[in-house]
Amino acid sequence: MLNSKIPAGQLDLKWTDYKGHCKLVNPANKRKLEVIIVGTGLAGASAAASLGELGYKVKAFCFQDSPRRAHSIAAQGGINAAKNYQNDGDSVFRLFYDTIKGGDYRAREANVHRLAEVSANIIDQCVAQGVPLAREYGGLLSNRSFGGTQVQRTFYAAGQTGQQLLIGAYQALERQVALGNVTMYTRHEMLDVVLIKDKDKAGNEVGEAKARGIVVRNLITGELERHFGHAVLLCSGGYGNVFYLSTNAMGSNVTAAWKAHRKGAYFGNPCYTQIHPTCIPVSGDHQSKLTLMSESLRNDGRIWVPKKQNDNRKPSEIPEEERDYYLERRYPAFGNLVPRDVASRAAKERCDAGYGVGSSKQAVYLDYANAIERYGKIECGKLGIDHPSAEVIRKHGLDVVKEKYGNLFDMYEKITGENPYEVPMRIYPAVHYTMGGLWVDYELMTTVPGLYALGEANFSDHGANRLGASALMQGLADGYFVIPYTIGNYLADEISTKAISLDHPEFVKSEKEVRDRIEKLMGIKGSQSVESFHKRLGKIMWDKCGMARNAQGLQEAITEIQQLKKEFWSDVRIPGGVGEMNPELDKANRVADFIELGELMCKDALNRRESCGGHFREESQTEEGEAKRDDSQFQYASAWEFKGESDWQLHKEELIFELAKPTQRNYK
């Protein structure tokens, strides 16, 4: 039976009440407790810095050569917070409600309200660290709009917000490394979590097995290592690369979370994946990843397609009256700032209907001509230029757009060879984020005692669709402001637990299992590359478990993935050796996990016979083609328990809504 440990009481007082009554660990005892953190992106780096500052002995692991390489660095557009600096009606409740509604009423209310509450603290923390968030002319912090909201609550640092926030967390982490409170292990990948039962005074095992350590592989030498911890925190990000082509970094993977899942941690809502509407379209089979164009571009840009099907004219040759600004037409209240799942499906619908643009016809236009003119007129007014010419207006407008979005425009031009200041960008949806992840309770603990999941690695805050600029908010909320309280509630009962010997039978057993799997992979000596299997998996997932899904396609996908798994384990080719740096072996380990995850995602999508957020079942849509939920049957979070190969048991966490009563989402 799932226990989400949601505190009793009024929703807006739950977190305050929890903090006032949770168990504490005194400073002297904290120095005796060891905490392992896997992953050092925003969630992991902030958690390591915070727990190190509190006095815990922290060991932090990442597979990159530096925490600064974490994929958090790629986030562009911004971070949400309910500061209401614009005095436009924002509040903690409104951020909470927008997040619940944006997630199509498939998230846990208590967790989302806590997220909205601590959002304002994040901005204060980052400003104190010196993160260079954008400011208005007078020095006040600036905000911009993002999808799914009608207020301006997104704080940003040009188009590189993730990078600046990560550097802030990184410098806090490095301070703790220098003080000796955190030990950093770079180029180490977690390949198993070690579970050990407590013993009573007579030496008998009692209770449930707890997370007591991990087995990692040194990616430079190939050696396996054992590490003990009183608790283990997984901050290893999302699993979007199961689709092969995504906006994620090439190294992003599900392996740490999947190893925990196989050891007993339930996997929550695996079918909830986010397709981002503004990405550079696929250009050919040679590609190994896709590039995001920040959602902030929808703040000022207008999205359109020609009104005529199969129109091959250049965008400059299509007059205004022959352009279809379809988001503004279909969703007048939110226009181009509808949530990501809505915008993505609308783009797919237009392209499928024959209105796509570019050589592939799998793209729509994102146009800045209006914004350049609008900003130009404002600047001319500021400068007292009366009756400015179109050329002067354009010059000043370009300067404003370059200041706001220059690095994004430059990136687009480098990749496509087209100047977006002169011609509209071509964009199309692509896999970007995963709302699913390890199931966690209110304290961010998985179903394995002592094993926590933070940030994108857990399922908790975004329901079936994440709003833009909320990933950075969740990662830093979990690391800076939630886990320092909730982990103490667990570790307060562990102060008498001495460090367990690395020669304990469970450590030996886990390392042997990891070693056997590696040797099995290396011993296959087949004929097909790891990359080719990953590509084939990605195609199955995108075609049959992507933006639109149906029962037949999902059943076919499950069969195809099971066959692919057999083929992988009989015919994969991995060059190199075990006791050395071997990126192909690292990749093979990850792809093997992706294949198993892909099967579970399809099973979850098949089981959920409704449409909600990013999960769109073709059999469940309104007359207007919008997602149609079935609250009577599916108002729950799926939590899948691993039982064996291709065998999972579904557990359900009922979602109860006290304040945000579920309704059909309407952005019109």
Side-chain angles (χ1 to χ4, degrees), residues 6-7 9-12 14 96 109-110 656-662:
I6 299 171
Q10 199 173 305
L11 185 63
D12 58 349
K14 287 182 189 293
F96 154 76
E109 266 196 340
I656 299 168
F657 295 95
E658 299 172 20
L659 288 186
K661 299 301 181 185

Side-chain angles (χ1 to χ4, degrees), residues 594-613:
F594 275 138
I595 291 172
E596 294 181 1
L597 167 68
E599 183 181 349
L600 178 59
M601 287 172 66
C602 292
K603 287 189 173 181
D604 187 40
L606 183 63
N607 172 76
R608 191 170 282 278
R609 298 179 305 282
E610 65 160 358
S611 292
C612 56

Side-chain angles (χ1 to χ4, degrees), residues 542-556:
W542 179 251
D543 289 347
K544 296 175 179 177
C545 194
M547 264 196 282
R549 303 152 179 191
N550 59 59
Q552 182 185 339
L554 290 165
Q555 285 163 344
E556 290 172 357

Side-chain angles (χ1 to χ4, degrees), residues 554-628:
L554 290 165
Q555 285 163 344
E556 290 172 357
I558 291 167
T559 303
E560 289 172 28
I561 292 170
Q562 289 173 345
Q563 181 57 40
L564 186 71
K565 181 179 178 180
K566 289 178 187 171
E567 201 176 326
F568 176 90
W569 283 99
S570 61
D571 198 31
V572 72
R573 183 185 76 250
I574 306 171
V578 174
E580 61 186 23
M581 186 174 180
N582 190 343
E584 281 299 298
L585 174 56
D586 306 336
K587 196 191 301 181
N589 253 316
R590 297 166 190 168
V591 171
D593 294 332
F594 275 138
I595 291 172
E596 294 181 1
L597 167 68
E599 183 181 349
L600 178 59
M601 287 172 66
C602 292
K603 287 189 173 181
D604 187 40
L606 183 63
N607 172 76
R608 191 170 282 278
R609 298 179 305 282
E610 65 160 358
S611 292
C612 56
H615 169 64
F616 189 75
R617 282 288 294 265
E618 292 172 349
E619 306 94 330
S620 182
Q621 54 184 302
T622 66
E623 291 178 3
E624 297 171 320
E626 304 292 350
K628 185 178 179 182

Side-chain angles (χ1 to χ4, degrees), residues 3 46-47 125 159 173 187 277 304 332 342 361 366 422-423 436 496 517 523 531 535 555:
N3 179 11
S46 59
Q125 169 90 356
L173 167 60
R187 288 291 190 186
W304 62 276
V342 176
K361 298 299 180 186
L366 177 60
E422 302 292 337
V423 295
S496 59
R517 175 182 158 108
E531 192 83 351
K535 255 186 182 176
Q555 285 163 344

Side-chain angles (χ1 to χ4, degrees), residues 239 261 265-272 435-440 458-459 600 604 637-640:
Y239 50 88
H261 172 57
Y266 294 2
F267 212 100
N269 300 330
C271 77
Y272 290 166
M435 286 76 66
L438 293 177
W439 185 92
V440 293
N458 75 32
F459 89 113
L600 178 59
D604 187 40
S638 303
W640 294 89

